[in-house]
């Protein structure tokens, strides 16, 4: 994995409006043939059907359990079963697990937990595998996949009620602190799944407990519902003076990324961390409920609509044809062609007007295929982004003859209305009145939006309409409260421990991270079939990691923003400074349609299918077949999450929007419109909308169909000149000052909320080293419990640059 900064560096030297240059007219015939070939392939992909995808907190229950295991681990199902049966026969005679009464099952589980407390590492692992077999559903006694999932859930509730999670948490602490395993992994030239056996067993049991108990069903008993809430509370707060469980998992991620523990099974850690955050804080739908409650508490009007439901009801649009975008290539058709068609200017204006009228038909159905001569011109003007962008899209400038266009234009079917209610910010009203007062009365009244004396009647009506659609967000109220607190400091609130403790303090070296440690077998494949299976497993492994990280980041950002806007801005700025924006663009700089429809799965090897039947002999055909699904749920889920994350990082941030322009994101995002899924298209169009004012008139002129799609699907904000670039925010801007101001506000918030309060703002500073070191610090009562963890995380794990330290002092 390369540095995200390097991903964007190659593109930053090109035109700042996101367009490639207009040179390259001496392209070789081979390049033209490649252009035509790729164009034909991509035009075929335009006809892909609409993807029937329902966005949610996670995939189906069976799929989420299946993704916990790599195909390399499948042999361990048999090992787990053998360990359980050997132990069970010594404790229970003549019966199977499912034949026991509940009291007998509890007694056996209690005995298992007692046998976990042995010195022998090998014996302890066997008992842990027996517990894992129970959590996996005692599949040896089941006849179907449904039975396996049912008993897995039943056994997980039973295991939790008997204290299994607490016991495994202690074992996990032991394995994390196992310096011998860490040093052994660091000495090995190649790490395999054998180096993380104990950790994988422990994390698998804990993941199954979290995922099965998290799942709510109407048939759950009162005892199970009570156990779920108790478990949620146990995971949310510090228990027995220990750090919250999510923070422990974050520390594992940090330790893995720093290279101190390369044997950690990072996929399982990330999946468990994601599910713990979702379970304790709540998923996306719960966030919407919390948002409604928070607005009511702050005295704000209710939301005009539920954004989740609006997106679900939206219809996907057909993507534009994959011809070269004239605005992006800086090419124009020869003047002779425009002169050769009578009334071309009138037709262009007619076409442009008709595109502003959104209708029920597909937006891009009337596009004409480019001629061979146009293809050659497009091939001559192609540019690349970071060595990978070969082609850009084009909307034809010349419309079809009137005989073809007029009849359809007369029979336009209008929908009932736009999907979103328009919004207006307080800043927009103030800006409108400032312009109006300067024009009509020659002076302004600052932030006064009530006094309309001297303004003509139409201005009065305009202000009334703007105020009717005024939207005050929770963030606006929180920022206003923080400004008031600056003038009158108040008592501190509780520390959001997971945010401040888990925030990155130094950039990890990504080139030293091996994320495949928990998927590579001890012995590498020796046959073509084994290599194909491992290749599918590795790709699937990477996809699951992307899925868990994207969902976790998005979920955390949304919860931080709801809790307090400056907590959200704190994490967002860390992500931006760590080159998150170019990294996401680098991810989308691929054939997204192929990524979403990838078949990196082997159905017969997926859990729980692989546990209830003998594994068939794998063939090349069975490996290549994949599943019968139209698309890969996790990959589409990941793409939407990353787009939502990019939207959150750039919304109302002009400096970050300019990063999208400098890194030439417009052609990358437009290619993502090939995927006919309404939610994905919506967030792509949002990202295109915020940068259209910076892309120039030529780009907007040659991308009218994309502009029309933005008009139809994205929420409108009154007084927003996004389509014309006349907004004051589109003018030259001191972007560095914008980020510095934001950072100053964040530091003031953190200092006021989390630092020790001072007696006076002007208290003297003690510059004596001996005096400062001799001061007595008030530490929390439970600090001595977590002192070693703090020392490891804040001192030993942090690299110290002594030269820089000496230079600074």
């Amino acid at each position: 994995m390369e540095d995200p900064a390097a991903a964007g560096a190659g593109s930053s030297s090109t035109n700042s409006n996101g367009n490639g240059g207009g040179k390259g007219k001496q392209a070789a015939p081979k390049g033209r043939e490649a252009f035509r070939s790729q164009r034909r392939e991509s035009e075929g992909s335009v006809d892909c059907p609409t993807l029937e995808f329902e966005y949610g907190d996670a995939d189906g229950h069976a799929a989420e359990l299946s993704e916990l295991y790599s195909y390399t681990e499948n042999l361990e199902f048999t090992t787990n079963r053998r360990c359980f049966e050997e132990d069970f026969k010594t404790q229970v005679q003549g019966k199977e697990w499912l034949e026991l009464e509940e009291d007998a099952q509890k007694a056996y589980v209690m005995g298992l937990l007692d046998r976990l407390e042995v010195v022998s590492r090998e014996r302890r692992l066997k008992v842990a595998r027996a517990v894992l077999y129970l959590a996996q559903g005692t599949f040896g006694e089941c006849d179907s996949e449904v039975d396996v999932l049912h008993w897995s859930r039943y056994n997980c509730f039973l295991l939790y009620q008997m204290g299994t999670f607490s016991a495994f948490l202690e074992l996990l602490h032991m394995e994390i602190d196992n310096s011998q395993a860490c040093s052994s992994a660091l000495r090995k030239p190649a790490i395999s799944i054998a180096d993380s056996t104990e950790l994988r067993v422990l994390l698998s049991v804990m993941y199954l407990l979290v995922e099965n108990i998290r799942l709510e069903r109407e048939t759950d008993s009162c005892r199970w519902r009570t156990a779920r809430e108790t478990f949620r509370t146990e995971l949310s707060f510090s228990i027995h003076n220990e750090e919250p469980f999510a923070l422990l998992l974050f520390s594992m991620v940090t330790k893995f990324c720093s290279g101190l523990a390369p044997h950690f099974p990072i996929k399982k850690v990330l999946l468990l961390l994601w599910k713990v955050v979702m379970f304790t804080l709540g998923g996306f739908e719960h966030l919407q409920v919390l948002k409604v409650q928070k607005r009511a508490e702050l005295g704000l009007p209710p939301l005009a609509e539920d954004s989740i439901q609006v997106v679900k009801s939206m219809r996907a649009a057909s993507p534009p044809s994959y011809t070269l975008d004239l605005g992006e290539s800086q090419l124009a058709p020869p003047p002779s062609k425009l002169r050769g068609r009578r009334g071309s200017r009138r037709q262009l204006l007619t076409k442009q007007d008709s595109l502003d009228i959104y209708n029920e038909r597909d937006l891009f159905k009337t596009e004409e295929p480019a001629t061979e001569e146009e293809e050659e011109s497009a091939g001559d003007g192609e540019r690349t982004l970071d060595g990978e962008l070969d082609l850009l899209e084009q909307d034809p400038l010349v419309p079809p003859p009137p005989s073809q266009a007029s009849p359809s234009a007369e029979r336009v079917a209008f929908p009932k209305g736009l999907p979103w209610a328009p919004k207006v910010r307080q800043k927009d009203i103030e800006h409108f009145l400032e312009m109006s007062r300067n024009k009509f009365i020659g002076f302004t009244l600052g932030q006064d939006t009530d006094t309309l004396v001297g303004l003509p009647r139409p201005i009065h009506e305009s202000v009334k309409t703007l105020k009717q659609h005024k939207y005050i967000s929770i963030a606006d109220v929180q920022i206003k409260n923080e400004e008031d607190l600056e003038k009158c400091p108040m008592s501190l609130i509780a520390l959001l421990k997971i945010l401040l403790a888990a925030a990155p303090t130094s950039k990890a070296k990504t080139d030293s991270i091996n994320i495949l440690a928990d998927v590579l077998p001890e012995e590498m494949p020796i046959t073509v079939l084994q290599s194909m299976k491992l290749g599918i497993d590795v790709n699937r492994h990477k996809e699951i990691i992307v899925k868990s990280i994207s969902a976790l980041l998005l979920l955390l950002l949304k919860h931080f923003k709801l809790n307090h806007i400056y907590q959200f801005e704190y994490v967002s700025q860390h992500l931006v400074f760590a080159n998150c924006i170019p990294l996401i663009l680098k991810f989308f700089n691929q054939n997204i349609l192929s990524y979403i429809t990838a078949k990196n799965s082997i159905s017969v090897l997926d859990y729980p299918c692989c546990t209830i039947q003998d594994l068939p002999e794998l063939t090349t055909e069975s490996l290549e077949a994949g599943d019968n699904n139209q698309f890969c749920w996790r990959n589409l889920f990941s793409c939407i999450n990353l787009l939502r994350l990019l939207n959150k990082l750039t919304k109302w941030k002009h400096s970050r929007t300019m990063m999208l322009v400098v890194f030439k994101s417009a052609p990358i995002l437009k290619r993502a419109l090939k995927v006919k899924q309404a939610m994905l298209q919506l967030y792509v169009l949002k990202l295109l909308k915020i940068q259209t004012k910076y892309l120039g008139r030529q780009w907007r002129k040659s991308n009218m169909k994309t502009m029309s799609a933005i008009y139809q699907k994205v929420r409108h904000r009154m007084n927003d000149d996004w389509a014309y670039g006349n907004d004051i925010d589109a003018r030259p801007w001191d972007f560095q000052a914008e980020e510095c101001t934001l950072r100053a506000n964040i530091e003031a918030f953190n200092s006021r909320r989390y630092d020790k309060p001072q007696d006076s703002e002007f208290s003297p500073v003690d510059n004596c080293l001996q005096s400062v070191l001799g001061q007595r610090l008030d530490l929390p009562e439970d600090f001595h419990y977590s002192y070693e963890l703090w020392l490891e995380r804040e001192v030993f794990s942090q690299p110290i640059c002594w030269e820089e330290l000496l230079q600074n002092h």
Side-chain angles (χ1 to χ4, degrees):
M1 184 177 178
E2 55 187 296
D3 191 343
S11 59
S12 59
S13 61
T14 53
N15 296 345
S16 62
N17 63 354
N19 305 332
K23 298 180 181 180
K25 294 186 178 181
Q26 304 297 326
K30 183 177 180 181
R32 296 176 182 175
E33 288 298 323
F35 171 81
R36 293 175 190 165
S37 174
Q38 187 163 352
R39 179 180 178 275
R40 284 192 294 268
E41 292 176 4
S42 59
E43 282 184 342
S45 66
V46 170
D47 298 329
C48 72
T50 300
L51 303 182
E52 299 297 330
F53 172 80
E54 184 173 351
Y55 186 82
D57 291 330
D59 202 351
H61 184 54
E64 292 296 335
L65 296 182
S66 173
E67 291 179 352
L68 175 65
Y69 313 102
S70 63
Y71 295 146
T72 311
E73 296 178 272
N74 276 14
L75 295 176
E76 298 186 10
F77 285 114
T78 306
T79 307
N80 299 338
R81 178 179 178 180
R82 185 178 66 250
C83 290
F84 170 81
E85 291 176 347
E86 289 175 356
D87 184 271
F88 190 74
K89 289 178 182 178
T90 63
Q91 305 297 321
V92 181
Q93 302 295 330
K95 286 189 176 182
E96 292 186 341
W97 170 259
L98 300 184
E99 297 173 352
L100 296 180
E101 298 291 335
E102 184 176 353
D103 291 340
Q105 291 176 337
K106 289 182 177 179
Y108 175 73
V109 171
M110 185 64 69
L112 271 180
L113 298 181
D114 289 339
R115 290 188 288 279
L116 272 178
E117 301 176 2
V118 294
V119 178
S120 173
R121 185 181 180 89
E122 183 179 352
R123 290 176 57 190
R124 193 165 61 235
L125 177 60
K126 287 185 176 180
V127 176
R129 285 191 178 278
V131 176
L132 177 56
Y133 175 73
L134 284 173
Q136 289 172 339
T138 53
F139 48 82
E141 304 175 29
C142 298
D143 299 324
S144 66
E145 297 179 26
V146 176
D147 288 344
V148 174
L149 296 176
H150 168 78
W151 288 110
S152 172
R153 194 159 181 265
Y154 170 86
N155 291 343
C156 283
F157 272 99
L158 181 67
L159 289 170
Y160 170 71
Q161 291 167 356
M162 299 308 297
T164 304
F165 188 85
S166 300
F168 272 66
L169 182 58
E170 293 181 8
L171 295 178
L172 182 62
H173 276 288
M174 292 172 54
E175 288 299 326
I176 294 174
D177 298 334
N178 188 348
S179 57
Q180 182 179 355
C182 293
S183 58
S184 175
L186 289 170
R187 288 194 302 267
K188 286 188 175 183
I191 303 175
S192 67
I193 60 172
D195 298 292
S196 60
T197 302
E198 289 81 2
L199 278 170
R200 286 187 293 106
V201 171
L202 297 177
L203 291 170
S204 295
V205 171
M206 301 174 94
Y207 179 86
L208 290 171
L209 288 174
V210 171
E211 183 63 13
N212 277 304
I213 296 176
R214 181 186 70 86
L215 180 66
E216 298 183 17
R217 287 183 177 163
E218 295 181 358
T219 56
D220 291 345
S221 63
C222 293
R223 187 175 58 174
W224 280 16
R225 296 176 190 272
T226 303
R228 180 181 298 113
E229 295 306 315
T230 305
F231 193 26
R232 194 198 310 273
T233 303
E234 182 180 342
L235 292 174
S236 302
F237 303 100
S238 301
I239 303 295
H240 305 304
N241 296 322
E242 294 179 351
E243 57 190 355
F245 184 53
L247 185 55
L248 174 65
L249 297 176
F250 268 119
S251 67
M252 291 184 69
V253 174
T254 305
K255 196 171 183 179
F256 173 81
C257 293
S258 64
L260 298 176
H263 66 296
F264 280 3
I266 194 63
K267 185 191 80 171
K268 285 181 169 55
V269 174
L270 290 171
L271 283 174
L272 180 55
L273 176 57
W274 168 37
K275 294 304 174 64
V276 168
V277 170
M278 187 193 304
F279 184 31
T280 54
L281 298 182
F284 297 127
E285 292 187 0
H286 182 63
L287 267 166
Q288 188 72 12
V289 175
L290 293 177
K291 187 175 181 180
V292 172
Q293 294 175 354
K294 191 97 172 189
R295 291 185 65 84
E297 292 172 2
L298 295 174
L300 298 176
L303 295 169
E305 72 276 303
D306 186 338
S307 57
I308 296 177
Q309 298 303 321
V310 173
V311 173
K312 285 182 178 180
S313 63
M314 294 180 77
R315 181 177 60 89
S318 297
S321 62
Y322 200 68
T323 49
L324 192 71
D325 193 326
L326 298 185
E328 290 160 359
S329 66
Q330 296 293 311
L331 293 176
S336 59
K337 286 195 174 183
L338 291 179
R339 288 195 299 267
R341 302 194 184 190
R342 298 182 58 186
S344 61
R345 176 176 176 81
R346 183 184 307 168
Q347 292 176 6
L348 282 171
L349 293 176
T350 303
K351 180 90 176 271
Q352 181 170 337
D353 292 340
S354 67
L355 285 169
D356 289 336
I357 305 174
Y358 65 94
N359 50 61
E360 291 291 348
R361 301 171 301 156
D362 285 344
L363 293 175
F364 310 106
K365 283 292 186 181
T366 59
E367 293 200 52
E368 287 183 337
T371 63
E372 182 176 340
E373 196 171 336
E374 288 171 337
E375 288 180 13
E376 293 181 1
S377 299
D380 292 339
E382 67 183 49
R383 284 288 180 183
T384 60
L385 168 64
D386 200 16
E388 294 181 7
L389 271 184
D390 298 321
L391 304 169
L392 307 177
E393 294 180 43
Q394 169 191 359
D395 293 327
L397 286 181
V398 183
S403 59
Q404 299 177 13
S406 299
S408 60
E410 294 173 359
R411 294 192 299 269
V412 173
F414 290 93
K416 293 181 179 179
L418 293 170
W420 304 99
K423 289 182 179 179
V424 178
R425 295 182 297 168
Q426 176 69 17
K427 176 183 175 182
D428 298 328
I429 301 176
E430 293 172 1
H431 178 56
F432 175 77
L433 281 173
E434 180 182 357
M435 294 177 60
S436 301
R437 286 166 178 158
N438 278 328
K439 179 178 180 181
F440 292 104
I441 59 179
F443 62 89
T444 63
L445 297 177
Q447 297 180 346
D448 184 356
T449 59
D450 297 323
T451 304
L452 303 178
V453 177
L455 296 177
R457 191 66 188 173
I459 300 296
H460 289 231
E461 295 298 326
S462 299
V463 172
K464 179 181 178 181
T465 302
L466 290 174
K467 288 185 175 181
Q468 285 176 348
H469 294 88
K470 180 180 175 181
Y471 175 75
I472 303 176
S473 67
I474 296 174
D476 294 334
V477 176
Q478 291 172 340
I479 291 175
K480 180 65 170 60
N481 291 341
E482 288 303 312
E483 292 174 352
D484 295 339
L485 288 173
E486 284 285 354
K487 304 169 185 174
C488 182
M490 298 176 66
S491 59
L492 305 178
I493 63 168
L495 172 69
L496 190 60
K497 192 172 183 181
I498 191 172
L499 171 63
L500 297 183
T505 55
S506 61
K507 185 179 178 183
K509 297 213 176 351
T510 55
D511 55 354
S512 63
I513 297 177
N514 177 17
I515 62 173
L516 304 179
D518 51 334
V519 69
L520 295 178
E522 290 186 77
E523 298 180 359
M524 296 307 290
I526 56 176
T527 66
V528 175
L529 197 62
Q530 291 175 344
S531 299
M532 288 179 63
K533 175 188 171 185
L534 181 59
I536 293 174
D537 204 4
V538 167
N539 290 334
R540 175 177 176 268
H541 180 81
K542 292 179 180 178
E543 292 171 358
I544 296 171
I545 288 179
V546 172
K547 169 189 172 182
S548 57
I549 291 177
S550 64
L552 176 62
L553 283 176
L554 179 62
L555 200 58
L556 283 174
L557 281 181
K558 289 181 73 68
H559 275 288
F560 287 145
K561 188 173 183 180
L562 187 63
N563 195 56
H564 201 286
I565 183 62
Y566 282 135
Q567 292 175 345
F568 163 79
E569 297 291 3
Y570 179 71
V571 180
S572 297
Q573 211 167 53
H574 270 294
L575 292 174
V576 172
F577 292 160
N579 291 322
C580 183
I581 291 177
L583 179 60
I584 294 177
L585 293 177
K586 179 76 173 177
F587 175 85
F588 278 94
N589 193 14
Q590 60 172 314
N591 190 334
I592 290 296
L593 188 59
S594 297
Y595 180 76
I596 288 175
T597 56
K599 303 289 186 180
N600 289 315
S601 62
I602 308 172
S603 302
V604 293
L605 298 183
D606 284 333
Y607 173 88
C609 177
C610 64
T611 62
I612 60 170
Q613 60 184 14
D614 295 332
L615 295 181
E617 184 177 353
L618 295 178
T619 62
T620 305
E621 291 74 18
S622 62
L623 291 179
E624 293 178 344
D627 53 38
N628 297 322
N629 294 328
Q630 185 185 20
F631 56 90
C632 178
W633 194 96
R634 64 172 167 267
N635 289 356
L636 184 49
F637 180 71
S638 301
C639 290
I640 293 176
N641 287 341
L642 290 174
L643 288 170
R644 295 183 70 184
L645 183 61
L646 201 54
N647 269 282
K648 288 202 168 296
L649 294 179
T650 56
K651 187 176 183 180
W652 304 122
K653 302 291 190 302
H654 305 295
S655 58
R656 300 175 190 176
T657 302
M658 282 305 298
M659 291 180 68
L660 295 179
V661 178
V662 170
F663 291 129
K664 306 184 76 147
S665 66
I668 298 175
L669 294 170
K670 277 187 62 181
R671 290 193 306 191
L673 291 174
K674 291 175 180 294
V675 181
K676 293 187 66 174
Q677 204 284 322
M679 192 171 190
L680 183 140
Q681 289 183 344
L682 171 65
Y683 288 105
V684 170
L685 293 172
K686 279 187 174 185
L687 289 168
L688 288 172
K689 177 186 175 183
I690 63 175
Q691 54 180 314
T692 51
K693 63 180 71 173
Y694 304 107
L695 295 177
R697 181 179 301 176
Q698 183 65 20
W699 188 93
R700 296 192 293 270
K701 180 180 177 182
S702 56
N703 288 273
M704 284 305 297
K705 295 182 180 179
T706 302
M707 301 284 284
S708 180
I710 293 173
Y711 176 81
Q712 177 181 351
K713 294 185 176 297
V714 182
R715 186 193 301 276
H716 292 278
R717 292 190 178 261
M718 296 184 177
N719 282 15
D720 184 5
D721 261 352
W722 65 271
Y724 303 101
N726 298 325
D727 191 351
I728 190 172
D729 291 336
R731 299 174 187 176
W733 198 272
D734 189 353
F735 299 123
Q736 188 174 5
E738 184 185 40
E739 289 290 348
C740 289
T741 302
L742 176 61
R743 190 167 190 174
N745 292 336
I746 294 170
E747 289 176 353
F749 167 79
N750 287 338
S751 176
R752 184 168 54 258
R753 297 298 179 95
Y754 305 131
D755 287 352
K756 182 178 178 180
Q758 300 293 329
D759 296 335
S760 171
E761 183 179 356
F762 304 102
S763 58
V765 178
D766 191 349
N767 293 320
C768 177
L769 180 62
Q770 292 181 345
S771 174
V772 172
L773 293 178
Q775 291 179 1
R776 181 178 180 83
L777 297 177
D778 295 329
L779 298 174
E781 296 180 0
D782 59 345
F783 182 75
H784 64 281
Y785 290 105
S786 58
Y787 172 70
E788 294 182 357
L789 293 172
W790 175 86
L791 202 62
E792 175 68 28
R793 183 172 60 239
E794 300 295 337
V795 181
F796 298 146
S797 299
Q798 303 301 328
I800 300 176
C801 183
W802 295 105
E803 295 181 357
E804 183 179 347
L805 189 63
L806 292 174
Q807 290 175 0
N808 293 338
H809 296 279

